[in-house]
Amino acid sequence: AVLPMVGWAGVAFDSAAVSLRPRAGLTLNGVAQGWIADRIASMLRDEGLADVLVNMGEMRALDGRSWPVQIATGGEVDLVGRGLASSAALGTVFDAAGKVGHILDPRTGLPAAANWRGVTVSAPLAAVADGLSTAACLMASRDEIEAALAGFDGARLEALA
């Protein structure tokens, strides 16, 4: 019953305000955290900084030094000049039992199956890594994820658990 009410048609915004249809909400999940990390990194680069790692929940490293980043599901990525994002269907849950995850399947509007404990993707931009790691949570196999990432220049699957 709620699915027809979902979507950008229920969002209005201008320079003064953002308004939503009744009972609707927005979060920074999806690509906003990556986009914000990219914007902050760009602003810092414009100020002449290079040895920068921005962490807004998703990460963006400038082209200075390499940053060792620990992945929650295990392993480490040396991040330089790239964005990094991790997603998990059960990373945020809607129920006390921890079984109803926050990543929704756009085909049904229902919480996606928890196919993975976590998916970590890197890409030239954190916003791209952010969107791809979330989308990968909907995919049933490593091959399917790798095929999707192949369509984005520089995107890499860094961890899958």
Side-chain angles (χ1 to χ4, degrees), residues 10-11 21 27 29 37 40 43 75 78-79 90 98 113 117 142 160:
V11 180
R21 66 171 45 111
T27 72
N29 297 96
I40 292 170
M43 292 167 54
D78 289 324
L79 195 63
L90 298 177
R117 284 188 307 117
R142 175 183 282 273
L160 184 63

Side-chain angles (χ1 to χ4, degrees), residues 6-150:
V6 174
W8 286 108
V11 180
F13 61 93
D14 59 30
S15 61
V18 174
S19 59
L20 307 174
R21 66 171 45 111
R23 298 180 57 211
L26 289 174
T27 72
L28 293 179
N29 297 96
V31 298
Q33 290 169 288
W35 185 85
I36 294 166
D38 288 333
R39 292 288 298 138
I40 292 170
S42 178
M43 292 167 54
L44 294 172
R45 178 186 297 126
D46 291 348
E47 293 297 320
L49 300 172
D51 292 335
V52 171
L53 176 66
V54 177
N55 182 352
M56 298 300 298
E58 312 306 352
M59 299 184 186
R60 176 67 191 282
L62 292 181
D63 291 323
R65 65 175 282 229
S66 176
W67 297 89
V69 177
Q70 295 292 317
I71 298 172
T73 56
E76 180 178 290
V77 173
D78 289 324
L79 195 63
V80 59
R82 299 178 62 72
L84 185 74
S86 294
S87 297
L90 298 177
T92 300
V93 294
F94 294 141
D95 66 324
K99 296 183 185 280
V100 181
H102 74 294
I103 295 178
L104 304 180
D105 187 327
R107 298 165 292 202
T108 65
L110 298 173
N115 296 324
W116 312 103
R117 284 188 307 117
V119 180
T120 301
V121 173
S122 71
L125 295 173
V128 173
D130 198 357
L132 291 173
S133 67
T134 301
C137 288
L138 299 170
M139 298 175 194
S141 72
R142 175 183 282 273
D143 288 344
E144 190 177 357
I145 294 169
E146 294 280 5
L149 296 181

Side-chain angles (χ1 to χ4, degrees), residues 1-5:
V2 175
L3 192 56
M5 298 182 348

